[in-house]
Amino acid sequence: MDRKVKVMIVDDDKNIAELIDVYLKKEGYETKKFYNGKEALKEFERFAPDLVILDIMLTEIDGYEICREIRKISNIPIIMLTAKGETFDKVLGLELGADDYIVKPFDAKELLARIKAVLRRYNSKHSDNVKLVIPNLTIDISDYSIIYHGKKMEIPPKELELLYFLVSNANRVFTREQLLDKIWGYDYAGGTRTVDVHIKRLREKFNLEDSWEIKTVWGVGYKFQL
């Protein structure tokens, strides 16, 4: 590794932030702690982290809003950290572009494993530098951009990754479980509803008159029909 991986820790519980900070530094990461959302957003570009550990329940600006703002300028991995464990909170965080979700109280080794897994997936996708071109649609995974009917389209990172995977495996059927493993990772604790939500949102963005579509294969899963 040429340089240390930089991790931004955003949590208003100073004890938890300090615990994460100590553990990650021991593992060789460069870290910076923030106890409120405004300060974290202000310093985000200056610190230029490789990954953000983000608590949801923050004062002034909550973790959802911080995630939303980061996603406007960066695709780096975000792990949501919260005491909430309901499915709704998980789905909302992932819909906003978070890469993983871990519930307090957590084991430090589990958090470290999730950090490594998320970084591994992120780095493998960005080493591809592959551009997919089909009628009326260009997807470039190297810079997370989409051109649709000649116009640049804004699309959340996880939706783009899901679309990229389906297009690169056109006409092949995948179960929801397989898509979860491929896009969110085998260690993702959420349910298959996450896939359904992302597929629904993708379908809403595209024209039914195109020569391709994301099809539901009843009793199995989904495929990109080209």
Side-chain angles (χ1 to χ4, degrees), residues 68-93:
R68 191 180 288 114
E69 291 301 313
I70 289 175
R71 281 292 171 252
K72 291 179 181 178
I73 58 174
S74 175
N75 293 309
I76 65 158
I78 297 173
I79 296 178
M80 303 294 272
L81 185 67
T82 182
K84 291 186 175 181
E86 291 83 2
T87 301
F88 171 79
D89 299 304
K90 293 181 181 180
V91 171
L92 179 57

Side-chain angles (χ1 to χ4, degrees), residues 77-175:
I78 297 173
I79 296 178
M80 303 294 272
L81 185 67
T82 182
K84 291 186 175 181
E86 291 83 2
T87 301
F88 171 79
D89 299 304
K90 293 181 181 180
V91 171
L92 179 57
L94 293 166
E95 283 180 3
L96 291 174
D99 296 87
D100 204 350
Y101 192 108
I102 188 166
V103 179
K104 300 175 185 176
F106 58 88
D107 181 79
K109 289 183 179 178
E110 180 187 1
L111 178 60
L112 181 63
R114 286 177 181 267
I115 289 171
K116 289 180 177 178
V118 165
L119 286 171
R120 192 162 53 243
R121 291 197 299 271
Y122 178 82
N123 291 332
S124 67
K125 288 185 178 78
H126 281 70
S127 65
D128 266 343
N129 293 323
V130 173
K131 182 185 290 186
L132 297 176
V133 180
I134 61 174
N136 300 321
L137 180 68
T138 299
I139 310 171
D140 192 338
I141 198 70
S142 67
D143 63 359
Y144 276 62
S145 66
I146 283 188
I147 305 296
Y148 181 55
H149 284 272
K151 295 181 180 179
K152 188 170 183 179
M153 174 184 283
E154 296 297 327
I155 184 169
K158 275 289 176 280
E159 287 181 28
L160 188 146
E161 291 171 13
L162 178 58
L163 181 63
Y164 178 87
F165 178 76
L166 288 170
V167 174
S168 62
N169 292 277
N171 301 316
R172 180 179 168 189
V173 181
F174 292 92
T175 66

Side-chain angles (χ1 to χ4, degrees), residues 53-69:
I53 297 174
L54 178 62
D55 187 33
I56 289 180
M57 302 302 290
L58 297 167
T59 55
E60 297 185 22
I61 304 177
D62 67 22
Y64 294 132
E65 185 61 29
I66 295 172
C67 182
R68 191 180 288 114
E69 291 301 313

